[in-house]
Amino acid sequence: MSSRKGQRDAARVVREQLARESRRRRTLWASVAAVVVLVIAGLIGWSVWSSQRADKFTAPPGANDAGTGIVIGGGPVTIDLYEDYLCPACKQFQQVSGATIDQLVKDGKARVVFHPVAYLNRYSTTEYSTRSSAASGCAAQGGKFKEFTDALFARQPPEGSAGLSNDELIDIGAGVGLNRDEFGSCVKDGTYKPWTEKVTEDASRSGVTGTPTIKVNGREVADRTPAGITAAVEAAGK
């Protein structure tokens, strides 16, 4: 009798252990499922927030339809030019090939869409890439984007420095004919910083990994010399 009772007790203990283990597994999987749901919800929320944030920008006058670059000229071939105002190679490119691009625009062969990206903030202690790009939006608002861009490259600060101050940017703008008060307020308020963020994000999504990057009718040009750019524009125009 006692043997059967012992067997029943042992069986009961086993059943209780199995029940506890089953409950533990159910609790574990419920916790895992809850975490997965929270992660998915978080990713969806971040994606929506990121998308909404990217869409909350105002492009300056003279921008292309997408609002991601300033258009200069009206020729049949489009030159997309991605540059960072702190980029030494961009300054060199402007010195070597800038006049050629200006001439192509003047001759009615091409239009330029200038995308002032902010890739090099880490090489400035004051996020100069963002500040200068946003200031170029203010210059576009005042109708002096090209003049301001040329002046910024002429006064380019060294990498690793604080970059030009806002007051210096304002002085440059006034020097190219912008209204000091209106331009100064735009620069100090950071009016076009959201636009700069949009320009930079769009460039990254389109595969632009460095500056300068030049595309002719959507195709990247490897030969960035005057002859290479001229040849690419002429080929695209045929």
Side-chain angles (χ1 to χ4, degrees):
M1 186 71 158
S2 60
S3 175
R4 288 198 297 273
K5 182 177 183 300
Q7 290 175 346
R8 288 196 298 271
D9 289 344
R12 178 175 55 78
V13 169
V14 170
R15 287 196 300 273
E16 290 175 351
Q17 288 177 337
L18 291 173
R20 284 196 298 270
E21 181 64 21
S22 178
R23 287 194 298 271
R24 188 186 70 81
R25 286 197 300 269
R26 287 198 299 271
T27 300
L28 176 62
W29 282 113
S31 298
V32 170
V35 170
V36 170
V37 169
L38 288 173
V39 169
I40 293 173
L43 289 172
I44 293 173
W46 180 88
S47 177
V48 171
W49 174 82
S50 179
S51 175
Q52 291 175 341
R53 181 183 59 134
D55 289 338
K56 291 182 179 179
F57 76 99
T58 299
N64 59 355
D65 291 341
T68 58
I70 302 300
V71 180
I72 301 171
V77 176
T78 298
I79 301 173
D80 284 289
L81 182 56
Y82 298 84
E83 293 189 289
D84 188 309
Y85 289 117
L86 189 59
C87 163
C90 297
K91 178 179 180 178
Q92 183 181 24
F93 171 79
Q94 288 292 336
Q95 291 171 336
V96 173
S97 299
T100 298
I101 292 177
D102 292 345
Q103 191 63 48
L104 289 167
V105 171
K106 184 178 179 180
D107 292 344
K109 295 180 178 180
R111 71 169 193 155
V112 176
V113 183
F114 192 103
H115 307 266
V117 298
Y119 279 4
L120 301 180
N121 276 328
R122 65 187 182 279
Y123 293 112
S124 162
T125 59
T126 63
E127 294 193 335
Y128 177 72
S129 292
T130 289
R131 290 191 299 107
S132 56
S133 174
S136 77
C138 297
Q141 179 175 286
K144 296 287 185 180
F145 176 84
K146 180 64 167 59
E147 295 86 345
F148 185 69
T149 286
D150 291 344
L152 280 190
F153 280 122
R155 290 275 305 274
Q156 187 182 74
E159 289 183 329
S161 70
L164 302 177
S165 67
N166 283 346
D167 287 339
E168 288 174 311
L169 291 173
I170 293 167
D171 286 341
I172 291 173
V176 300
L178 289 161
N179 180 282
R180 179 180 288 274
D181 292 337
E182 294 177 1
F183 178 70
S185 294
C186 183
V187 171
K188 290 179 178 179
D189 292 344
T191 301
Y192 288 107
K193 283 187 176 181
W195 173 68
T196 291
E197 184 175 349
K198 174 65 176 179
V199 172
T200 305
E201 289 178 353
D202 182 80
S204 296
R205 284 197 298 268
S206 69
V208 175
T209 58
T211 55
T213 291
I214 297 89
K215 296 182 180 182
V216 172
N217 279 1
R219 298 184 63 178
E220 187 169 345
V221 177
D223 183 356
R224 302 195 294 257
T225 64
I229 292 171
T230 300
V233 169
E234 289 178 349
K238 291 180 180 179

